[in-house]
Amino acid sequence: MKRAGLFLIAVVPVVVAGSVCVSTAPSDGGRTEGSDKPAAGAPATPAPASPTPPNSSPSAASPTSSAPPAPPPSLADPGKKDLAQQLVASAENSTLDWRGAYGYIEDIGDGQGYTAGIIGFCTGTHDLLTLVETYTEDHPGNGLARYLPALRAVDGTDSHAGLDPGFTAAWKAEAERPAFRRAQDDKRDRVYFDPAVGRAQRDGLGVLGQFVYYDAMVYHGPGSTPTSFGGIRAEAMNRAATPARGGSEKTYLEAFLDVRRTAMTTMHPGTDTSRVDTAQRRFLNEGNLDLTTPLEWEVYGQTYRIPG
């Protein structure tokens, strides 16, 4: 997991965004915001209501019940979830076509080995290994299964030992199979998307806040260190109360983004932080807490738009 964004010395908007993967190893706890007068010409006193006809229910004659309120917007709603994937893809793969990234695989020189797939699973950070392991349990004999010994050996390192020269081609080929695409989706949802959205909802955050959590989970991993999602959230809560604790949603999200930006530059000084500065913070400054389209933002110097 995760790609940490481009370094300033290597920004090329049309090239896949560089990033840093964060370990999901168990040692880190797992990656693993009238009037009451009668109208003119109306009688001063309302006319008495007609009696309810015999054998009629009161509700039929004079309905008083109202429909239950609509649930608050959620990033898990299909349209919002697709929007979230486009936003992440703009930072992870320099594209809005997130479905085109299943077969992406590259060593981006961040010390985490190969980075691959829709959210940047990494050979050096455990999540790519567990993805292939789970996939192989369900689909024995797949094109990646033979690389499992090598993936276990290089886990936690940047080594390609046992993976070259065939692993990248095997990944791309397997990504053509719907089953492997579903496996990537399931891993994304189980480890990153669902936990981030659930935590944000419990913190009282709307759609933008849910996305802010999700993108941080993708980038930093769900551990508890100062530069992981759990540590970032804890420090943000030291600075501002969440809405669930009576705080202002905007104020809390400002604090969270401040802490996250610091975590990014602590991990890699010089890292491009535009996914926070000119994307998420832009939406927040515009007061777009529901991530309502149209949206316009900038990542790594490239402008993206999603129409209304």
Side-chain angles (χ1 to χ4, degrees):
M1 162 179 67
K2 269 2 26 107
R3 315 232 292 273
L6 289 178
F7 295 100
L8 293 180
I9 61 173
V11 176
V12 182
V14 296
V15 178
V16 173
S19 54
V20 170
C21 304
V22 180
S23 174
T24 57
S27 62
D28 192 32
R31 247 183 52 186
T32 85
E33 163 187 315
S35 173
D36 59 356
K37 288 185 179 180
T45 303
S50 300
T52 302
N55 303 320
S56 302
S57 68
S59 60
S62 178
T64 58
S65 61
S66 59
S74 168
L75 196 68
D77 296 342
K80 294 296 187 183
K81 186 173 184 178
D82 186 75
L83 178 66
Q85 301 315 128
Q86 293 181 68
L87 290 166
V88 168
S90 71
E92 292 288 319
N93 301 96
S94 292
T95 181
L96 298 184
D97 181 20
W98 66 270
R99 292 179 180 85
Y102 289 104
Y104 164 78
I105 182 165
E106 181 183 10
D107 188 329
I108 60 176
D110 61 354
Q112 305 298 339
Y114 283 118
T115 295
I118 54 172
I119 56 168
F121 306 105
C122 294
T123 57
T125 61
H126 199 61
D127 60 346
L128 191 148
L129 168 60
T130 57
L131 168 63
V132 176
E133 286 178 333
T134 301
Y135 178 62
T136 301
E137 289 173 4
D138 296 335
H139 301 86
N142 69 79
L144 298 173
R146 66 182 182 273
Y147 292 101
L148 277 171
L151 288 171
R152 294 184 182 112
V154 303
D155 190 25
T157 77
D158 63 354
S159 174
H160 295 182
L163 299 177
D164 292 338
F167 181 68
T168 57
W171 180 278
K172 292 174 182 178
E174 203 65 29
E176 296 296 320
R177 299 172 60 88
F180 189 50
R181 295 183 176 216
R182 287 194 299 270
Q184 290 192 41
D185 290 344
D186 290 345
K187 179 78 170 182
R188 173 201 63 203
D189 290 350
R190 186 174 65 256
V191 179
Y192 307 117
F193 186 84
D194 293 345
V197 171
R199 179 69 268 175
Q201 289 175 326
R202 293 192 297 276
D203 284 346
L205 299 175
V207 175
L208 175 59
Q210 293 165 35
F211 175 73
V212 165
Y213 273 24
Y214 172 49
D215 190 66
M217 191 82 81
V218 165
Y219 185 102
H220 296 273
S224 57
T225 64
T227 56
S228 64
F229 171 80
I232 293 168
R233 175 177 172 269
E235 177 58 25
M237 292 175 68
N238 286 335
R239 301 185 185 192
T242 65
R245 296 187 177 184
S248 158
E249 184 170 11
K250 186 174 187 297
T251 300
Y252 173 73
L253 288 177
E254 286 173 341
F256 187 94
L257 293 177
D258 287 345
V259 177
R260 183 185 170 187
R261 190 181 191 282
T262 299
M264 293 173 71
T265 57
T266 296
M267 292 165 63
H268 291 280
T271 294
D272 187 306
T273 58
S274 56
R275 69 196 292 163
V276 169
D277 303 333
T278 52
Q280 295 169 44
R281 200 180 294 276
R282 175 172 179 168
F283 304 147
L284 182 60
N285 290 340
E286 291 171 348
N288 192 353
L289 297 178
D290 286 335
L291 272 184
T292 302
T293 57
L295 293 175
E296 180 175 317
W297 70 101
E298 184 178 292
V299 182
Y300 313 137
Q302 184 170 346
T303 299
Y304 297 90
R305 297 177 181 86
I306 296 178

Coordinates of all heavy atoms in Angstrom, one line a residue, residues 22 24 27 33 39 53 65 89-90 146 204 217 273 279:
V22 N 3.2 2.1 2.4 CA 3.4 2.0 3.8 C 3.0 0.6 4.2 O 2.0 0.0 3.8 CB 2.4 2.9 4.5 CG1 2.6 2.8 6.0 CG2 2.7 4.4 4.1
T24 N 1.8 -2.9 5.8 CA 0.6 -3.4 6.4 C 1.0 -4.5 7.4 O 0.1 -5.2 7.8 CB -0.4 -3.9 5.4 OG1 0.2 -4.9 4.6 CG2 -0.9 -2.7 4.6
S27 N 3.0 -5.7 12.8 CA 3.7 -5.0 13.8 C 3.2 -3.6 13.9 O 3.4 -2.9 14.9 CB 5.2 -5.0 13.6 OG 5.5 -4.4 12.3
E33 N -18.6 18.7 7.4 CA -19.5 20.3 8.8 C -21.1 20.3 8.4 O -21.7 20.6 7.4 CB -19.1 21.2 8.6 CG -20.1 22.7 9.3 CD -19.9 24.0 9.2 OE1 -19.3 24.2 9.3 OE2 -20.3 24.2 9.3
A39 N -53.1 34.1 5.8 CA -52.9 34.8 4.6 C -54.0 35.8 4.3 O -55.1 35.7 4.8 CB -52.8 33.8 3.4
P53 N -65.5 10.3 8.5 CA -66.6 9.4 8.2 C -66.5 8.1 8.9 O -65.4 7.6 9.3 CB -66.3 9.1 6.7 CG -65.5 10.3 6.2 CD -64.6 10.6 7.4
S65 N -48.7 11.5 9.4 CA -47.3 11.0 9.5 C -46.5 11.5 8.3 O -47.0 11.7 7.2 CB -47.4 9.4 9.4 OG -48.0 9.0 8.2
A89 N -7.4 8.2 -8.3 CA -6.7 7.9 -9.5 C -5.9 9.1 -10.0 O -4.9 9.0 -10.6 CB -7.6 7.3 -10.5
S90 N -6.5 10.3 -9.8 CA -5.8 11.5 -10.3 C -4.5 11.7 -9.6 O -3.5 12.1 -10.2 CB -6.7 12.7 -10.2 OG -6.8 13.1 -8.8
R146 N 2.8 -18.7 -9.1 CA 4.2 -19.2 -9.1 C 5.1 -18.2 -8.5 O 6.3 -18.6 -8.2 CB 4.6 -19.7 -10.5 CG 4.7 -18.5 -11.5 CD 5.1 -19.1 -12.8 NE 5.3 -18.1 -13.9 CZ 4.3 -17.6 -14.6 NH1 3.1 -18.0 -14.4 NH2 4.6 -16.7 -15.6
G204 N -18.6 11.8 12.6 CA -19.6 12.8 12.2 C -19.3 13.5 11.0 O -19.8 14.7 10.8
M217 N -6.0 7.0 4.2 CA -5.8 5.5 4.4 C -5.0 4.9 3.3 O -4.1 4.1 3.5 CB -7.1 4.9 4.6 CG -7.1 3.5 5.1 SD -6.9 3.4 6.9 CE -8.6 3.6 7.5
T273 N 2.7 17.7 -2.3 CA 1.5 17.5 -1.5 C 0.2 18.1 -2.1 O -0.7 18.5 -1.4 CB 1.7 18.2 -0.1 OG1 2.0 19.6 -0.3 CG2 2.9 17.5 0.6
A279 N -6.4 20.1 -4.0 CA -7.5 19.2 -4.2 C -8.4 19.2 -3.0 O -9.4 19.9 -2.9 CB -7.1 17.8 -4.6

